[in-house]
Amino acid sequence: MQSYNFISIGDNGIFNELEITKDDLLKTYPSIKYRDLHIIDKNLSFRNSSIIVKEKVIVLKLHFIRCIIKPNNVILIKLSNNDIFSKHINHLTNLLITNIKDNSQKNSFEFKVLETVLIAIRDHFDDIMMETLAPQTASYYDALDSTHLVKIVKNKGFSELYKYILTVQSTVEDIRDMLTDISEWDDDELDEFYISRELVNKEDEHRNKFITELINNYKSHFEENTDDINKMIKQMDLVIKLTNIDLADTRNKMAEFDININIFMVAITLGGLIASSFGMNVPNHLENNNVSFTIIWICMIILIIFIYFITKYGFHYKIKQT
């Protein structure tokens, strides 16, 4: 039977590791249905980011972060040590413990957890953009004046960076869209976020001010990230377009060279008709002329040059007309 490894952190900051089977998970959290498991199960993932809020439980997935928030504890899906995101989960665990123990924060437990998770995913993508995407994209963009632009674009690192940017773009946009959806919830839907305490006054129109500001703040941040990524993609596209222009120019030069060769071969063929005519075994008036060979060659060369330049001029004139 499939089981999940979790890191459980209580509202007192104490944490422990536990293993829960799928059936036990559904029994422990009856408000979570089997159809909701796609949020925490890597094998059932449909979106990079999802959230379900109902009956004192918040189930959240933000990229590699998968967690279930209850009124008095939060459990995180623990990743294997071989997973590239395992160190980020360990960092998030320490961050959660620190923020939960911080009594200076007057927020409810669920909001402490929610904001900490948003901080962690924000910092994760900020690091990616500042330390990896921005400098590497800039290095390729700065190479626009290089004479080896085609070679640079054909480099494997360029295509891998482009794919990575598109992957990050998709993930960031998914998080942004999820936050945008939440920002459009009405007050009754936002009330469900309060799982550790009851709202004192549900008639207060400003009761959800904190959660609204929290969501809008991080939504704006991921919108900025999306804009920055789109700028990077435009820079990469510009490099590709200029490379295609260089390649097209090279192809045009090769085509022009091939045309010149073909024109020259036609001129030689037509000029060779003179030699062929005098080479026939029939009498002609140059048979006994001592300079007949020279005369024939001079005529051939003049005819070849004349045919070549006339044909070339006519060809280029035709192209200009079109």
Side-chain angles (χ1 to χ4, degrees):
M1 183 177 294
Q2 184 179 358
S3 61
Y4 304 98
N5 293 317
F6 287 101
I7 298 172
S8 176
I9 306 173
D11 56 4
N12 55 3
I14 298 176
F15 83 100
N16 59 77
E17 297 183 8
L18 60 149
E19 183 177 347
I20 305 177
T21 64
K22 185 181 293 186
D23 288 344
D24 288 340
L25 182 67
L26 295 175
K27 291 177 182 177
T28 306
Y29 304 94
S31 58
I32 300 177
K33 306 304 179 184
Y34 187 85
R35 63 179 176 272
D36 301 328
L37 291 179
H38 70 88
I39 295 180
I40 60 173
D41 194 331
K42 292 178 66 175
N43 299 322
L44 299 174
S45 297
F46 301 114
R47 292 182 60 184
N48 266 310
S49 302
S50 300
I51 188 170
I52 294 176
V53 184
K54 57 183 180 182
E55 300 178 32
K56 300 296 182 182
V57 173
I58 300 173
V59 186
L60 176 66
K61 177 172 73 170
L62 288 176
H63 192 26
F64 58 87
I65 301 174
R66 295 170 172 82
C67 64
I68 300 175
I69 306 172
K70 289 180 66 181
N72 56 359
N73 80 312
V74 55
I75 59 174
L76 299 169
I77 286 284
K78 182 182 178 182
L79 304 176
S80 66
N81 293 329
N82 296 327
D83 196 298
I84 59 175
F85 296 116
S86 60
K87 65 177 182 179
H88 298 292
I89 291 297
N90 294 333
H91 172 70
L92 173 60
T93 302
N94 295 329
L95 195 61
L96 279 168
I97 293 172
T98 301
N99 289 347
I100 289 171
K101 288 183 176 180
D102 185 3
N103 295 323
S104 64
Q105 297 186 38
K106 303 303 180 181
N107 300 327
S108 302
F109 175 77
E110 61 270 23
F111 292 132
K112 285 184 178 181
V113 173
L114 185 60
E115 184 163 20
T116 302
V117 170
L118 288 170
I119 289 172
I121 201 69
R122 179 203 64 188
D123 292 346
H124 170 70
F125 283 107
D126 284 351
D127 289 344
I128 289 177
M129 295 183 64
M130 295 300 296
E131 297 178 7
T132 304
L133 299 187
Q136 291 190 27
T137 302
S139 67
Y140 285 112
Y141 189 72
D142 292 340
L144 288 177
D145 296 329
S146 172
T147 56
H148 304 288
L149 190 59
V150 175
K151 186 177 181 180
I152 292 172
V153 173
K154 289 176 67 177
N155 185 285
K156 186 178 180 182
F158 183 88
S159 59
E160 289 180 347
L161 175 62
Y162 197 87
K163 291 177 184 176
Y164 188 39
I165 292 175
L166 293 178
T167 301
V168 173
Q169 180 194 38
S170 174
T171 306
V172 170
E173 286 181 346
D174 214 21
I175 296 174
R176 179 205 62 191
D177 292 343
M178 187 202 75
L179 295 174
T180 301
D181 290 341
I182 297 175
S183 68
E184 295 173 354
W185 288 5
D186 59 30
D187 282 333
D188 290 337
E189 292 173 310
L190 291 175
D191 288 345
E192 297 182 4
F193 272 106
Y194 295 86
I195 61 175
S196 64
R197 63 183 175 86
E198 294 292 335
L199 284 171
V200 177
N201 183 8
K202 289 191 176 184
E203 301 301 323
D204 183 4
E205 61 180 11
H206 301 295
R207 64 186 184 276
N208 291 315
K209 180 180 179 182
F210 175 79
I211 184 64
T212 301
E213 290 179 349
L214 177 68
I215 295 301
N216 286 333
N217 177 51
Y218 287 96
K219 183 188 76 168
S220 298
H221 187 85
F222 282 102
E223 285 175 346
E224 291 176 3
N225 283 350
T226 301
D227 292 339
D228 291 339
I229 292 173
N230 288 334
K231 291 177 183 177
M232 294 179 191
I233 292 175
K234 288 181 180 178
Q235 289 179 333
M236 299 291 279
D237 287 339
L238 179 59
V239 174
I240 294 174
K241 288 177 181 178
L242 291 178
T243 303
N244 290 334
I245 291 174
D246 283 350
L247 289 172
D249 183 59
T250 302
R251 285 192 294 267
N252 290 339
K253 290 178 179 178
M254 292 176 64
E256 185 177 0
F257 178 77
D258 183 62
I259 290 171
N260 287 331
I261 290 294
N262 289 331
I263 293 174
F264 186 67
M265 293 304 297
V266 170
I268 289 178
T269 302
L270 295 176
L273 290 175
I274 297 176
S276 300
S277 299
F278 285 97
M280 292 186 292
N281 192 20
V282 295
N284 59 74
H285 64 283
L286 294 177
E287 284 179 328
N288 300 319
N289 192 322
N290 293 329
V291 293
S292 59
F293 183 80
T294 303
I295 293 173
I296 292 173
W297 264 101
I298 290 174
C299 291
M300 284 176 55
I301 292 172
I302 293 173
L303 182 61
I304 289 171
I305 293 174
F306 177 78
I307 293 174
Y308 174 76
F309 282 104
I310 288 296
T311 307
K312 184 177 180 180
Y313 173 79
F315 179 78
H316 286 289
Y317 178 79
K318 187 69 174 176
I319 290 178
K320 289 181 180 179
Q321 292 298 313
T322 57

